[in-house]
Amino acid sequence: MPRVNRTAVLSLLIVSSSVFLLFQLYYYRKYVSKPGPHILTQTGHLTANDIQWQTVKKFLALAHRFRLPLFLTDTAALTLLSQDALRQRDRLVHEPHCSFLCTGRPVTSFALHANLWKYDPGFLLAAEQKGFDMLELRGEDPRLASLDTLSGQEIPLHFLFRLHGYIIQVVFLYERSGNYLWHGALRPKANMDRSFAPFKQLDYGRHAGAYDRLELVLTVLDGLDVRIPRNISRFLSEQRHAHFLECRYHDARNFLQLYPDDSSPEAVDFRRKAKSLLHLAARTLARLDVPFWLSSGTCLASHRATDQTGPEQVRVQRDDSHHVHVQSPAWSGWFRQCSIISYSRDVDIGIFIADFRSDIITAFRDAGLSLKHKFGKVEDSLELSFVSDDIKLDVFFFYEDGDVVWNGGTQAKSGRKFKYIFPRFSLCWAELLELKVRVPCETLDYVKANYGATWSVPVRGWDWKSSPSNVQENGVWPPAEWAELVQVY
């Protein structure tokens, strides 16, 4: 039996021990000594939470180096942050681990204000050198879409970074003329790798979105410096209802070529007044926390309106109840020609009756509007009309009834009631007259319900009691109740 060389064995043990100690020192310096998660499995490997935390940490360090003004918009992480403060404190007193940024999802979402960051190709190169695979998605700039010569320009909309199977999504938020923030839809090109990311799990990109301006605060999450929205609950609520619809500029140009808009001084003055009135209504209802949308309901004008006509192809009519009726309200103007229709002479908005508040009339009066008529009651066919600077604001209240919604109409002279029925719809954001406003998401269905299949063709005569495709007679108000239900001022 050969004799064992004790010196060689001892040397081998010393070398092995040294290598193992160096590995432990490297691991300690790289992972354990850093703030944040360092939970190991029984085999000594990093957990999925550790890997995700390290991915986010590496990306945030890169963003800080290139002054990328990121803030956290991940809905799962923000939901955890918005929970009870006591629960948050209980989480933090335990041994540090990934409490908020590791949500069990393979995606973490951030956003940035595009105007605060100068596009730097070096950032993308540095990300690649750090091991990130990157997918950049670009699209047309909607702020230039109304200009034929510039409509082809593209802007960055989303960045997707992938490392160790985890995705960092960066959403670009652009300032729009309505003083709000907008992001585009995420539409992979035909030649892009559809397996690059779990696109269906992304918080942002299924559609364009619109948000109010955000106030951000700097905080520490899982040992990392991260900016977050100051009002997390409000941001999460906005995110759930952020769907934005862009105006159909190409179709609008085609329409205006066939039916040129009125450019007379009177029409220009009306659009100026209508814009001011719509902004005033939006501010007033925002203070009451009452959502509204641009309505295609009946246009009801007061007895002070005149029989002035707009463009040659449209005629204003008056019936014996002193109501003036025209073919299209402001909302159809947005859908058909991306602007308000100058010959409508009023602005129409809709509100679900569930959002009615008893102080709406007082709030509008305090804002400087005069009440012109009040028809119906909260339980049935309520509608209000206000006037400011000779422009009317008609407020139609909508009632939900099974698979449909409806708003009422009242003829002041006879007390006859009418009902205008629409298929159920959800609300999206849009822009009109430099204002972020809601419109029905199911735009075409909504318009066709009111104006029929020929909605795109202006009509010379329009009778609010019989012309709409969705109008039904709905009885008569009892004469004994007219003093309360048919009020004209």
Side-chain angles (χ1 to χ4, degrees), residues 434-449:
E434 297 183 345
L435 181 67
K436 181 169 75 95
V437 291
R438 293 178 180 88
V439 298
C441 299
E442 298 76 13
T443 50
L444 188 57
D445 292 341
Y446 191 89
V447 170
K448 283 185 175 181

Side-chain angles (χ1 to χ4, degrees), residues 17 28 197 295:
S17 300
Y28 178 81
S295 173

Side-chain angles (χ1 to χ4, degrees), residues 80 83 86-95 97 99-100:
L80 292 173
Q83 293 174 353
L86 184 59
R87 293 181 60 188
Q88 293 184 35
R89 187 193 68 183
D90 291 341
R91 284 176 176 269
L92 298 176
V93 298
H94 293 95
E95 183 180 357
H97 60 287
S99 301
F100 302 106

Side-chain angles (χ1 to χ4, degrees), residues 4 83 87 102 117 123 161 177 201 216 234 257 321 335:
V4 176
Q83 293 174 353
R87 293 181 60 188
C102 301
W117 182 62
F123 168 73
F161 297 88
S177 59
Q201 295 188 48
L216 303 175
R234 178 177 177 181
Q257 287 178 355
S321 66
F335 184 64

